[in-house]
Amino acid sequence: MSNWQRVDDETAMLAFGASLARQFPSGGLITLHGDLGAGKTTLVRGLLRELGHTGNVKSPTYTLVEPYYLAGRDIYHFDLYRLGEPEELEYMGIRDYLRPDALCLVEWPEKAAGYLPKADLRIHIRHCGAARDILLE
Ligand code: ADP
Ligand code: MG
């Protein structure tokens, strides 16, 4: 069963991220699945802005994780695209981030292989012409 939703443009993607922030008031693990340029970081930017973040949202491509403290909780934005081996997650102390009180948003979770627990929400994004389709799982 699939229930893909059309997200027309960047503005709509930011709004989608914002709505997720409201639906996800506590901690948890959200994984973002989709190709380069799918809009994963854009969605995260919408979520962070909804929670009060006003600055840039840089993709943590080289640092792997960018921490935020917003609306009274820790939020960790991961981009694992450049992760060499899943074992590196041990060295970076992944378990300290995956606390029940923290919200973790992970781009390229496939790179983590068995090092991430089951996600509370998986977000699949795919290109549909110039727009995008999103599936929540
Ligand atoms: P990713 O993090 O998945 O690599 P980005 O969030 O960096 O992708 O987005 C890549 C590009 O796609 C950006 O230029 C962004 O404006 C654009 N974009 C994001 N969402 C949409 C959408 N729903 N429709 C069209 N373009 C989008
Ligand atoms: Mg990205």
Side-chain angles (χ1 to χ4, degrees):
M1 199 178 80
S2 62
N3 190 18
W4 291 87
Q5 296 170 249
R6 177 66 39 83
V7 182
D8 284 322
D9 53 21
E10 177 173 340
T11 304
M13 190 63 101
L14 291 168
F16 197 96
S19 70
L20 274 181
R22 282 174 249 123
Q23 290 165 36
F24 238 88
S26 57
L29 172 62
I30 299 179
T31 54
L32 295 133
H33 307 254
D35 292 340
L36 268 182
K40 302 180 293 296
T41 301
T42 305
L43 188 154
V44 170
R45 187 184 304 136
L47 184 148
L48 293 171
R49 283 192 185 154
E50 176 68 16
L51 295 175
H53 180 66
T54 50
N56 263 2
V57 174
K58 46 185 169 179
S59 204
T61 308
Y62 293 95
T63 53
L64 297 181
V65 60
E66 187 69 29
Y68 297 86
Y69 184 74
L70 297 168
R73 67 178 158 163
D74 288 309
I75 301 179
Y76 302 112
H77 176 205
F78 292 83
D79 182 345
L80 304 182
Y81 187 67
R82 304 237 165 232
L83 190 72
E85 299 176 341
E87 290 74 20
E88 287 173 34
L89 292 170
E90 291 276 12
Y91 314 144
M92 76 180 288
I94 185 73
R95 273 177 293 222
D96 296 337
Y97 294 103
L98 297 167
R99 308 185 310 269
D101 59 301
L103 180 61
C104 290
L105 303 148
V106 183
E107 298 186 38
W108 297 103
E110 302 84 0
K111 301 269 180 178
Y115 282 81
L116 288 178
K118 192 179 191 316
D120 297 295
L121 178 66
R122 288 165 168 247
I123 303 176
H124 302 267
I125 309 175
R126 67 183 184 194
H127 283 75
C128 181
R132 305 291 189 273
D133 280 345
I134 293 191
L135 177 69
L136 301 183
E137 183 193 359

